[in-house]
Amino acid sequence: DTAVSQTPKYLVTQMGNDKSIKCEQNLGHDTMYWYKQDSKKFLKIMFSYNNKELIINETVPNRFSPKSPDKAHLNLHINSLELGDSAVYFCASSTVNTGELFFGEGSRLTVL
Amino acid sequence: EDQVTQSPEALRLQEGESSSLNCSYTVSGLRGLFWYRQDPGKGPEFLFTLYSAGEEKEKERLKATLTKKESFLHITAPKPEDSATYLCAPEGDTGRRALTFGSGTRLQVQP
């Protein structure tokens, strides 16, 4: 039973399109994150939600809009995709106390 | 701003050849130093958290140590299954839970 699952695993799309990535965790954690890993393998935080409330919003274009319908789900919608958005996007969750992150397997986005 | 540098970028070892990976960091008020392992095509997997200088933690062939400016991941008698990218992430006392990850050390252990 997967702890943090995200779908789809792969997305290939054209510039200008809109796409969404979904994430669900069954660990009972109260905090969820989106991280972006670029081609150089740097892993950078984009957003963090605690109990459905946005608590971290790094310098990310407003074309990226996270939504948390409940504390077990965190989705990422991206409008008007650009070539530079190509990356692997990881969802993660944690308890606010430990900070230990549990990651999903990633969603590889390729923008052509 | 939190900064972290990992070295070497890549390391190739023979099975059984011990070595160490380095993580140099600068944070304001270290809350914890995290080590993760990432296999190709997978998300990072948590290994250790170190909280204060002098602390050590072990897991199988891995031992993580911490000073005020660096953390080391010592790998003793590695096996091919230890091949992965190892990421470190210091967390500063900023009042929010967010990790700044290093770019990782890509370890390859040859049989």
Side-chain angles (χ1 to χ4, degrees), chain B residues 21-54:
Chain B
L21 313 182
N22 176 266
C23 171
S24 297
Y25 65 90
T26 303
V27 296
S28 175
L30 183 70
R31 192 171 183 175
L33 188 292
F34 297 78
W35 281 98
Y36 287 80
R37 168 191 171 129
Q38 186 174 21
D39 292 300
K42 303 287 186 182
E45 178 184 353
F46 171 77
L47 292 173
F48 306 106
T49 309
L50 303 167
Y51 295 101
S52 58

Side-chain angles (χ1 to χ4, degrees), chain A:
Chain A
D1 196 19
T2 305
V4 180
S5 59
Q6 48 183 114
T7 55
K9 191 171 175 67
Y10 299 98
L11 305 92
V12 180
T13 189
Q14 300 289 327
M15 282 177 56
N17 285 349
D18 303 338
K19 288 293 179 185
S20 293
I21 307 171
K22 296 184 176 182
C23 179
E24 175 181 4
Q25 56 96 3
N26 62 6
L27 298 168
H29 289 164
D30 48 24
T31 307
M32 295 185 72
Y33 310 79
W34 279 111
Y35 276 84
K36 178 181 179 180
Q37 189 169 43
D38 60 25
S39 57
K40 295 184 178 180
K41 304 300 183 184
F42 281 102
L43 198 59
K44 295 182 180 179
I45 189 165
M46 300 174 67
F47 302 102
S48 171
Y49 270 76
N50 180 262
N51 285 321
K52 302 194 298 176
E53 180 182 351
L54 180 66
I55 57 173
I56 295 175
N57 183 351
E58 291 297 287
T59 307
V60 176
N62 57 16
R63 299 182 293 103
F64 291 78
S65 53
K67 287 188 179 177
S68 181
D70 56 61
K71 74 173 191 176
H73 295 84
L74 179 62
N75 303 323
L76 183 65
H77 187 75
I78 315 169
N79 291 324
S80 303
L81 280 157
E82 300 178 357
L83 293 176
D85 297 332
S86 295
V88 182
Y89 293 85
F90 287 100
C91 177
S93 70
S94 73
T95 66
V96 71
N97 292 329
T98 69
E100 172 189 331
L101 296 173
F102 290 78
F103 285 87
E105 296 216 327
S107 296
R108 179 177 293 277
L109 171 65
T110 302
V111 182
L112 303 176

